[in-house]
């Protein structure tokens, strides 16, 4: 997607970014390896990779996550990482896998990951932006806004009990 690449940063800044990404990942409950790559991604700033077991899972955070974090109108680094932790929970939770593979449903992994993300963040702003993202994804799947809002709250209430 991005032909251009980020401005170079110092080794110290690189380490600081990795440290910050790791600290947030641990706070959200992410287990596995966390890496920082100073290139622009095509995945919104971070990517979750399923490993052979939870500690072999990989979270890669990219330069655009920090760029988005610096924009007050965009997702924070916390929200981006919480969403990826959501993917990890969804991939590793048998009940959630059952929900996804069950009857035809508009509930996608992407929606579930955002709702789980909203449950693992301490920030009210990040919670709200993740729930809005889940609703926007449901609308994208063809739902009306009110239906999408209802669906996302139902999932959230359900997951609050399940997780
Ligand atoms: Zn996602």
């Amino acid at each position: 997607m991005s032909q251009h690449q980020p401005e170079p940063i110092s080794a110290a800044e690189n380490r600081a970014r990795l440290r910050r990404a790791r600290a947030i990942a641990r706070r959200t409950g992410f287990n596995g390896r966390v890496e920082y790559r100073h290139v622009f991604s095509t995945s919104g700033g971070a990517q979750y990779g399923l490993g052979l077991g939870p500690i072999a899972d990989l979270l890669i955070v990219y330069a655009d996550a920090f760029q988005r974090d610096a924009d007050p109108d965009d997702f924070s680094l916390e929200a981006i990482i919480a969403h990826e932790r959501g993917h990890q929970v969804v991939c590793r939770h048998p009940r959630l896998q059952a929900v996804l593979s069950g009857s035809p449903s508009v509930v996608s992994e992407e929606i579930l990951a955002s709702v789980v993300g909203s449950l693992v963040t301490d920030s009210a702003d990040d919670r709200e932006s993740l729930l809005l993202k889940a609703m926007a994804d449901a609308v994208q799947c063809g739902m009306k806004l009110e239906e999408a809002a209802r669906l996302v709250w139902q999932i959230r209430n359900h997951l609050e009990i399940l997780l």
Side-chain angles (χ1 to χ4, degrees):
M1 182 185 73
S2 310
Q3 279 82 22
H4 65 300
Q5 283 306 325
E7 292 290 312
I9 54 172
S10 67
E13 172 63 14
N14 202 90
R15 280 194 302 275
R17 287 184 176 200
L18 177 60
R19 249 194 327 269
R20 190 172 159 216
R22 278 191 179 142
I24 295 169
R26 297 292 168 257
R27 246 191 344 262
T28 65
F30 182 86
N31 35 42
R33 221 147 46 96
V34 180
E35 287 180 9
Y36 174 66
R37 294 195 189 153
H38 193 60
V39 290
F40 288 137
S41 73
T42 52
S43 59
Q47 201 166 22
Y48 165 69
L50 184 66
L52 283 174
I55 54 164
D57 282 358
L58 179 63
L59 170 66
I60 305 174
V61 179
Y62 295 92
D64 39 321
F66 285 83
Q67 205 172 47
R68 299 183 78 180
D69 184 61
D71 177 354
D73 294 326
D74 205 339
F75 282 97
S76 70
L77 186 63
E78 283 81 355
I80 291 169
I81 291 175
H83 174 86
E84 298 306 321
R85 165 60 178 159
H87 277 291
Q88 184 181 43
V89 170
V90 173
C91 287
R92 297 236 163 254
H93 201 296
R95 291 278 299 275
L96 294 183
Q97 280 304 303
V99 169
L100 284 176
S101 59
S103 55
S105 152
V106 290
V107 181
S108 65
E109 179 179 330
E110 197 53 21
I111 294 174
L112 281 182
S114 292
V115 179
V116 173
S118 80
L119 292 168
V120 298
T121 178
D122 304 324
S123 148
D125 283 350
D126 292 338
R127 196 173 308 132
E128 193 187 318
S129 54
L130 285 164
L131 290 173
L132 287 174
K133 174 174 163 33
M135 280 177 216
D137 287 338
V139 167
Q140 199 105 60
C141 292
M143 290 190 108
K144 292 202 189 87
L145 187 59
E146 314 85 83
E147 291 171 342
R150 205 174 320 121
L151 174 75
V152 166
W153 280 107
Q154 279 169 354
I155 298 173
R156 189 176 152 92
N157 290 337
H158 189 62
L159 290 185
E160 237 165 0
I161 299 162
L162 197 65
L163 296 179

